[in-house]
Amino acid sequence: MKRWLPLLDILTCVALMAYVLLGVPTVPFHGDEPMQIYMSRDYETAFVDRNADVLTQGPPYYIDDDNQLRILNGSVQRYTVGLLRQVAGIPRESLPPRPGWDWGLDYARNIETDHRPDDALLLLGRYSSAVMLAASIPMVFAIGRLLGGRPAAYGAVLIYALHPVVLLNGRRAVQEGAMLCFGLLTILTAVVINTRAGRGQRVWFLFPALAAAGMMALASKHAAAPFVVGAFAWVWLAALLRGNLRGLLTTTGLLAACTAAAVAGFIALSPALWRDPPARLTDLFTVRTELLDLQVAAHSDGETALSQRIAGLLREPFLRPNQYFESPAWAEFAPISAEIAAYEAGPWHGYATGITVSGIALTLLMLGGLVVLVVPRWRPLGAWWPTAGLGIWLLATAGTMLVNPLDWQRYALPLLPIAAVVAGLAPAALIKRYSLRVQKSTTMNTASA
C-alpha cells in the first residue's frame, strides 16, 4: 500500500489544480480585472517599443494615470498577460481604454465605452493568474508534508485549494494568483532549508533560491511582504533554536545577502522604481497611503476600529462568506448579481465559509492546530522550529491586517494559506496519537502472547 501513496499524492494535487482551472470561466467579474489587463500594454512598451523612459517616468502620480498604476501594482501579472497576448496574437489595440475600468462610471456606461474586455481577452488574463494559483497547490501539500506528514499535507491542501476566497481571487485576472504562487514558494523554500539543516545536511545552495522566490513574490504584489518576512525570519529562528553559534552567524550572513538580493531583484523587475530607487520606494508608500485614504472615503463607512481588525484575524479565515465586490454600488448592477448567482449555483466555488457547518468546523480545526503547535507532546516533528516559524509568519501577516483601515476580504488573502496549514495540523496530531496508541497496544499484545 505504501508504494502507491506518492501516486495518490500526485493525483490529489493534479485533481485540485484541474478544479481551479475548470472553474475560471464561471468567476464573477471584478473591475480590477480590466485594469490589470490594460496595464499589460507595458509588455509592448518594454519589449517591442523598447521605450524604458515611459516605464520609469517617476512623479507626479495622478489618479488612474499609467504612472500611478505602475508604482502601485506588481509587474509579474501584467507582463505575463502581455506575453500571453503576444503568443495568442492579441494586439494592444484590443485592450480596454485607460485605466481599464472607470470607477467614476456605472456598469452600463463602462460596457458602452468598452471598458470590459471581451471574453477571450478576459479569460487569457484569468488563466494567467489561475495557472499560478494552481501551481501553489503542490507547494501547500509539500509544506504540510514536511511539517506534519501526509495527514497534515492532505488536510492543508484540501482546505487551501477548495477555499472559496482563494478560488475567487486567484482565478480572476488580478495579482493574487502570482502573489500566492511565489509567496508560498518562498515559505516552502524556508521549510526545506530548515528541514535539511535539522538533519545536518548542507543548505547553503538553497539560499539563492530563497532570494529568487522572495524577489518574485514582492514583484507579484507588494502585499506578499508577509510571506517574505515570515520565510526569512523562519530560517533565522530555526538556526537560533539549533543553538549552534557558528551556524547562526553563517545563516545570518546568508540571510542578509538574500535580503539584499531579493530587494535588488524586486527593484530590477519594477521599472517604476528604477530612477532613484530610495525616492521611488518612498513614493510607493505615499501613493499607497493616498489610495487607501481615497478608498476609505469612497467605498466604506470609514476606517475599521482596531477591535474589528483584531476580530478579523479569527473571522477572515473561515467565518466570512465570499465578498464579490468592495464598492457598495455593485450590489445594484443586475449583470453582476446574475454572475454571482450562477457561480454559487455551480460546482466550482469550493466549500461554504461564513457561519456554516464547514466554516465553524474549520475554525475549530485552526484553533486546534494552534494548540497542537504549543503542546510539547503534540508539536510537529517534536521540535520548536515549526512552532516558531509558523508563529512569526502569522505575526507578519496579522501585522499587515491590523494596520489596514479597510474591511476588504482580499486584503486578508495572505492569512488563508497559513490558516489552512495550521488547521491541517490538528487532525494530523490526532491521527498520530491514535496510531501510536494502536502500535503500543499491538506491541503489548504481541509481547503477552
Side-chain angles (χ1 to χ4, degrees), residues 75-419:
S75 57
V76 172
Q77 170 69 3
R78 67 171 178 261
Y79 284 113
T80 303
V81 173
L83 175 60
L84 292 176
R85 282 196 298 103
Q86 184 181 55
V87 172
I90 301 177
R92 73 183 99 178
E93 289 75 20
S94 300
L95 296 173
R98 185 175 68 86
W101 187 262
D102 192 333
W103 291 98
L105 305 177
D106 64 13
Y107 182 85
R109 184 57 182 159
N110 268 287
I111 297 301
E112 292 172 5
T113 51
D114 295 324
H115 281 85
R116 176 166 176 161
D118 62 38
D119 289 345
L121 184 55
L122 182 60
L123 283 176
L124 183 144
R126 287 181 170 182
Y127 277 114
S128 171
S129 178
V131 166
M132 288 187 274
L133 172 63
S136 72
I137 288 174
M139 298 176 198
V140 172
F141 186 93
I143 292 169
R145 179 84 167 83
L146 290 170
L147 293 179
R150 275 196 173 85
Y154 276 92
V157 79
L158 289 170
I159 293 169
Y160 171 76
L162 298 177
H163 198 299
V165 181
V166 171
L167 291 170
L168 176 66
N169 291 281
R171 285 168 170 163
R172 282 172 165 166
V174 289
Q175 304 171 92
E176 275 64 19
M179 177 189 71
L180 290 170
C181 176
F182 292 107
L184 285 165
L185 180 60
T186 312
I187 293 291
L188 174 59
T189 307
V191 174
V192 171
I193 289 173
N194 292 333
T195 302
R196 289 180 60 88
R199 296 170 181 168
Q201 298 172 321
R202 294 180 178 180
V203 296
W204 61 266
F205 63 93
L206 290 171
F207 280 85
L210 182 66
M215 169 192 74
M216 291 298 296
L218 293 174
S220 296
K221 188 173 184 180
H222 306 145
F227 292 99
V228 180
V229 172
F232 283 38
W234 197 342
V235 172
W236 189 85
L237 282 173
L240 177 66
L241 291 171
R242 285 193 292 273
N244 184 320
L245 180 59
R246 181 179 178 182
L248 177 61
L249 292 175
T250 300
T251 299
T252 301
L254 288 170
L255 284 173
C258 282
T259 302
V263 172
F266 160 59
I267 293 172
L269 293 174
S270 308
L273 305 178
W274 286 0
R275 291 185 180 178
D276 192 359
R280 297 294 79 77
L281 287 170
T282 301
D283 290 345
L284 191 159
F285 287 111
T286 301
V287 175
R288 172 62 62 185
T289 300
E290 291 173 351
L291 178 63
L292 278 174
D293 291 341
L294 181 64
Q295 290 171 330
V296 168
H299 301 301
S300 73
D301 295 326
E303 294 188 8
T304 55
L306 180 59
S307 59
Q308 293 175 292
R309 302 178 201 181
I310 294 172
L313 297 175
L314 177 64
R315 183 185 74 248
E316 291 294 348
F318 306 111
L319 293 177
R320 186 176 183 180
N322 263 345
Q323 184 183 47
Y324 290 98
F325 47 80
E326 294 80 28
S327 174
W330 279 54
E332 307 299 323
F333 299 156
I336 298 300
S337 298
E339 290 185 18
I340 293 171
Y343 182 67
E344 292 187 338
W348 308 112
H349 56 79
Y351 51 78
T353 51
I355 309 302
T356 62
V357 172
S358 56
I360 294 171
L362 288 170
T363 300
L364 293 175
L365 281 179
M366 179 183 68
L367 295 174
L370 292 174
V371 173
V372 166
L373 286 170
V374 298
V375 175
R377 60 182 177 177
W378 291 348
R379 287 197 316 264
L381 309 179
W384 278 112
W385 70 261
T387 299
L390 287 168
I392 199 67
W393 180 16
L394 177 59
L395 285 175
T397 307
T400 62
M401 292 179 59
L402 292 179
V403 300
N404 193 320
L406 283 169
D407 185 29
W408 288 7
Q409 190 177 58
R410 59 178 170 159
Y411 288 162
L413 194 62
L415 182 63
L416 305 187
I418 187 172

Side-chain angles (χ1 to χ4, degrees), residues 37-57:
I37 291 173
Y38 163 78
M39 287 304 296
S40 72
R41 66 176 53 243
D42 281 2
Y43 176 84
E44 281 92 354
T45 303
F47 299 105
V48 178
D49 304 339
R50 299 188 181 277
N51 189 1
D53 287 343
V54 172
L55 303 178
T56 62
Q57 181 180 333

